[in-house]
Amino acid sequence: MKNTVLLYTFLLICAFQLHAQQEQPIIKIDSLSEVVVTSTRIDLPFMENSRTINIITATDIKNSSAVTIADLLQQVAGIDIRRRGTGGSQADLFIRGGGFDQTLLLIDGIKMDDAQTGHHTMNASLPLEVIARIEIIKGPAARVFGQNAFTGAINIVTKSNLNNAVSANLEAGSFGQLNGSVTVGSELENSTHIFHAGKMTSEGYRNNSDYNNSNYFLKSVFNKNDQPIEMIATFSERKFGAENFYTTNPAFNEYEETQNSLMALTTKFQSEKFKIQPRVYWKRNQDMFLLKRFEPNFFRNFHISNKIGAEANASYKSELGETGFGIDMSKTYLRSNNLGQRNRFMTTLFLEHRFQFIDNRLDITPGVAVTYFSDFKFNGFPGLDVGFDITNNLKAYGNIGFTYRIPTYTDLYYSDPRTNGNENLEPEEAFAQEIGIKYNSPSIRASLSVFNRDANNLIDFVRPNTIEEIFTATNIAEVNTKGLEIDVAYNFKLNNFNQTLAIGYAFLDDNILEQNEELSRYALNTLKHHYTTRLSTQLFKNISQSIVYKYAERTTGQTYNVWDASIMLQLKQMELSISANNIFDADYIESGFTPMPPSNVLFGLRYSFK
């Protein structure tokens, strides 16, 4: 099946290329040459970065047939989203085979890591309606972001304005799905505001898989004509049946409720050579888990974590190049009936400098991050990026770096009848290397990268033998991970309308399977082969459609093929849509013991008030 799809895709590209050359000139569609990657201190256009970076644009989001960020990120090769159900209730985020706490999620550059557990990373996900683009930085990013960016980072960039507009969205479909939202944009004389409120509900596609999820988002810019101050506030609440999320007992009817909120204030002072961006923020996460949904006193975990932080990021341009530097200070507080009362103070100093030589064709960027943890002391993350512009459109690059992750409080202190934390855990460490080449033109965007990561002290919950039922958090042996990634996007014209064919492939190989699979809870389910294709077409004036194909082969031997599709009809201010997911009813599991939904459909209606 995999070889057939690869051949089909290749022939499809050739056919479209021949047709485009014969019929229509190639045009630029969402060209990334103008996109400035803002998740680092030194702002650089997409093509000038010497790292593996994927950009998901607003057009990509619209054509993705995705409902949540978890659905959307699954379409990027090298990113493994392991969902335990639908509606974004719970999903773990992995990049290049790392653990679910080894990828850092950011919102407008604000770090959304959670000290309790990496299972809450995706709790901070935003509704797709307010997202301008998503920046995906693969590889070790600790020198840029600090700890938790062990295998990469994902920065969600929100929209800056919606002018004066109001849109309402209503969706209904299989399993009693009912989604509704309102998005409002207001452009005033000296301020700008975006507000979104949404609700997603479902009866569930299997026993105890119902959910009731809410999202609220507010972004305002005050004093925009003088010294703009940006405020962002988000709140998400998820209530969902967690059937077999953590156990195989069908009588338990597990249940979970989470809340995640963010409040941040940011401003920027800028001159011709100097820029500084100070920020203060507060992030809160709440998690309540019941082992038996209808017997709350049987086993209940309740955790509240608060993170209060202040940071300042700056850059300075001189004859020697551009220097980026910054400081990030934060204090984390945890209250938990299982993990106890904990707190941690962190301070990270960042420094990097970008040198340019040979008429600016060669760039070299060394950098370092030094972090103090009140419970793990000082740690440093040096790294180096190198890039060379072969032509205006073609760039070769390479990077090396050390990366680091301290244990979560769950790793250290969690306890239940089958799981024990370990207060003696050591931090995870790794040394990673990567080389790549990328090409960007109005019609084709392509990249190829090869990477290697040597990790020490990776943390997993393991047991000594199959007779023992208790899994204990343990620093497992050294693990080597290597792989390659290919991404190609082809933009062309057909019948005078814009079309896009995007292809991604990721291969990953590690030696972690030298352990006994039955002895590990989390580490042994990485994606060995991951292939994605998205064809977004428009053949008529008001109708567009998209087909998405995903192939996955995991190190456990499981393979599956999933097809999704959507069609949209634009009628002036009204948009009608139909999305079909898992069209051919694939039977597969992404995480734990939870089977994913069978084939399902969602009907949507969006109306924009001008």
Side-chain angles (χ1 to χ4, degrees):
M1 177 65 180
K2 178 175 63 176
N3 293 333
T4 302
V5 173
L6 288 170
L7 178 61
Y8 168 77
T9 303
F10 175 76
L11 294 175
L12 199 59
I13 294 174
C14 294
F16 282 142
Q17 175 70 43
L18 180 62
H19 185 280
Q21 289 175 346
Q22 292 176 344
E23 301 293 336
Q24 297 289 345
I26 299 298
I27 67 162
K28 179 168 64 177
I29 306 175
D30 257 4
S31 173
L32 295 183
S33 60
E34 301 173 0
V35 173
V36 175
V37 179
T38 58
S39 54
T40 59
R41 280 155 212 82
I42 300 177
D43 294 342
L44 291 173
F46 167 77
M47 196 58 188
E48 294 184 22
N49 272 274
S50 297
R51 303 186 68 91
T52 298
I53 298 178
N54 297 88
I55 304 292
I56 302 177
T57 66
T59 300
D60 295 333
I61 294 173
K62 186 176 180 64
N63 294 332
S64 66
S65 74
V67 177
T68 67
I69 287 183
D71 303 332
L72 179 67
L73 291 176
Q74 277 201 326
Q75 301 175 17
V76 180
I79 295 185
D80 185 10
I81 302 292
R82 302 185 199 171
R83 299 170 297 173
R84 289 182 173 91
T86 57
S89 296
Q90 188 184 104
D92 289 335
L93 174 60
F94 303 74
I95 289 183
R96 292 182 172 177
F100 55 78
D101 194 45
Q102 293 179 342
T103 299
L104 180 64
L105 185 70
L106 304 98
I107 294 178
D108 287 339
I110 306 166
K111 303 174 186 67
M112 302 301 292
D113 55 299
D114 187 79
Q116 179 204 332
T117 174
H119 283 306
H120 294 321
T121 297
M122 295 295 288
N123 286 6
S125 299
L126 297 180
L128 298 180
E129 288 90 339
V130 303
I131 298 175
R133 67 179 183 276
I134 300 176
E135 303 169 351
I136 302 169
I137 300 93
K138 296 179 180 177
R143 75 164 182 83
V144 179
F145 302 109
Q147 86 109 14
N148 282 95
F150 194 89
T151 58
I154 295 178
N155 183 36
I156 301 171
V157 181
T158 61
K159 294 179 178 178
S160 57
N161 64 73
L162 294 174
N163 298 318
N164 291 306
V166 178
S167 65
N169 183 49
L170 181 64
E171 297 173 321
S174 306
F175 323 127
Q177 292 181 82
L178 185 61
N179 308 330
S181 67
V182 175
T183 307
V184 180
S186 177
E187 189 81 21
L188 304 178
E189 181 179 351
N190 201 26
S191 64
T192 300
H193 308 275
I194 298 175
F195 173 75
H196 173 91
K199 173 80 76 172
M200 302 176 66
T201 63
S202 173
E203 299 170 358
Y205 62 96
R206 57 194 288 264
N207 175 57
N208 193 37
S209 64
D210 59 300
Y211 59 81
N212 185 341
N213 302 336
S214 304
N215 286 291
Y216 302 93
F217 173 87
L218 174 64
K219 183 176 182 179
S220 299
V221 179
F222 302 101
N223 198 35
K224 66 179 184 179
N225 297 326
D226 187 13
Q227 179 59 51
I229 299 175
E230 180 180 288
M231 182 194 74
I232 183 171
T234 71
F235 177 81
S236 66
E237 183 177 50
R238 297 182 170 97
K239 302 177 180 180
F240 51 94
E243 187 73 6
N244 303 136
F245 276 24
Y246 308 106
T247 76
T248 56
N249 192 323
F252 279 170
N253 290 315
E254 301 159 62
Y255 177 76
E256 193 160 6
E257 294 183 3
T258 66
Q259 293 180 359
N260 187 278
S261 57
L262 171 68
M263 178 76 176
L265 294 170
T266 307
T267 190
K268 182 190 295 184
F269 303 93
Q270 189 166 3
S271 64
E272 183 179 350
K273 294 184 177 181
F274 181 72
K275 178 193 71 176
I276 183 169
Q277 183 171 283
R279 171 186 291 134
V280 293
Y281 61 94
W282 167 50
K283 176 188 174 297
R284 181 184 184 274
N285 193 85
Q286 178 176 302
D287 176 32
M288 189 274 291
F289 173 76
L290 300 177
L291 190 58
K292 290 188 176 183
R293 181 172 187 169
F294 305 108
E295 298 180 42
N297 293 327
F298 178 76
F299 182 88
R300 176 180 180 267
N301 279 332
F302 186 73
H303 323 276
I304 298 177
S305 62
N306 284 277
K307 180 183 178 183
I308 301 171
E311 63 178 304
N313 294 304
S315 64
Y316 179 75
K317 296 179 180 178
S318 67
E319 295 180 356
L320 297 177
E322 188 168 359
T323 303
F325 52 97
I327 183 172
D328 182 3
M329 296 184 295
S330 63
K331 186 70 176 284
T332 297
Y333 301 89
L334 176 73
R335 290 180 293 148
S336 167
N337 68 323
N338 189 302
L339 305 174
Q341 295 193 27
R342 314 287 175 180
N343 66 80
R344 174 182 294 149
F345 176 74
M346 295 180 290
T347 300
T348 304
L349 298 173
F350 301 93
L351 177 65
E352 60 183 336
H353 185 84
R354 189 171 192 262
F355 298 94
Q356 289 184 288
F357 308 98
I358 316 176
D359 296 327
N360 294 333
R361 294 176 63 190
L362 173 65
D363 60 84
I364 301 175
T365 309
V368 65
V370 178
T371 300
Y372 169 78
F373 302 94
S374 57
D375 47 354
F376 286 94
K377 307 309 177 185
F378 283 96
N379 293 274
F381 323 111
L384 176 70
D385 300 341
V386 178
F388 183 76
D389 295 332
I390 301 172
T391 69
N392 290 336
N393 296 329
L394 185 65
K395 184 183 185 75
Y397 63 94
N399 54 73
I400 59 175
F402 289 89
T403 190
Y404 187 91
R405 183 187 79 90
I406 62 174
T408 65
Y409 289 130
T410 296
D411 296 332
L412 294 168
Y413 304 112
Y414 186 77
S415 177
D416 68 28
R418 294 196 60 190
T419 311
N420 279 334
N422 182 356
E423 296 184 34
N424 298 314
L425 288 173
E426 296 292 329
E428 299 176 330
E429 300 174 342
F431 176 57
Q433 318 92 45
E434 177 180 16
I435 57 173
I437 190 167
K438 53 186 175 182
Y439 177 84
N440 190 40
S441 73
S443 59
I444 296 177
R445 182 175 76 251
S447 67
L448 167 66
S449 60
V450 180
F451 60 89
N452 181 77
R453 184 174 66 247
D454 296 301
N456 296 312
N457 294 328
L458 292 185
I459 297 170
D460 188 18
F461 284 82
V462 299
R463 53 183 177 172
N465 53 64
T466 55
I467 299 176
E468 177 64 57
E469 294 186 354
I470 297 177
F471 290 81
T472 301
T474 306
N475 290 111
I476 62 178
E478 298 180 0
V479 176
N480 173 259
T481 303
K482 52 184 174 291
L484 66 86
E485 293 172 343
I486 302 172
D487 282 289
V488 180
Y490 175 48
N491 301 320
F492 58 97
K493 272 227 175 184
L494 192 63
N495 295 338
N496 209 35
F497 296 112
N498 299 336
Q499 327 287 331
T500 299
L501 175 64
I503 300 170
Y505 171 72
F507 167 76
L508 186 142
D509 181 49
D510 61 36
N511 59 0
I512 202 168
L513 275 178
E514 292 177 0
Q515 298 185 83
N516 187 328
E517 179 182 337
E518 295 181 347
L519 304 183
S520 170
R521 174 165 290 182
Y522 294 119
L524 301 171
N525 196 31
T526 55
L527 280 174
K528 185 174 183 179
H529 295 283
H530 188 202
Y531 176 83
T532 63
T533 299
R534 175 174 57 85
L535 177 62
S536 299
T537 61
Q538 184 175 358
L539 303 178
F540 304 97
K541 182 178 180 181
N542 298 323
I543 301 177
S544 60
Q545 49 277 321
S546 181
I547 299 175
V548 177
Y549 168 71
K550 294 166 286 186
Y551 169 83
E553 177 183 335
R554 298 192 175 275
T555 52
T556 53
Q558 179 189 194
T559 63
Y560 48 90
N561 303 269
V562 179
W563 293 82
D564 302 327
S566 65
I567 184 169
M568 289 175 285
L569 172 63
Q570 191 73 45
L571 299 173
K572 295 183 178 180
Q573 295 169 238
M574 182 184 299
E575 179 183 277
L576 302 175
S577 64
I578 303 176
S579 298
N581 296 291
N582 194 8
I583 296 172
F584 298 107
D585 208 16
D587 183 12
Y588 67 105
I589 292 175
E590 294 178 348
S591 182
F593 319 105
T594 308
M596 294 306 297
S599 57
N600 59 93
V601 65
L602 189 67
F603 299 88
L605 166 64
R606 181 181 299 276
Y607 191 87
S608 299
F609 302 87
K610 301 296 184 181

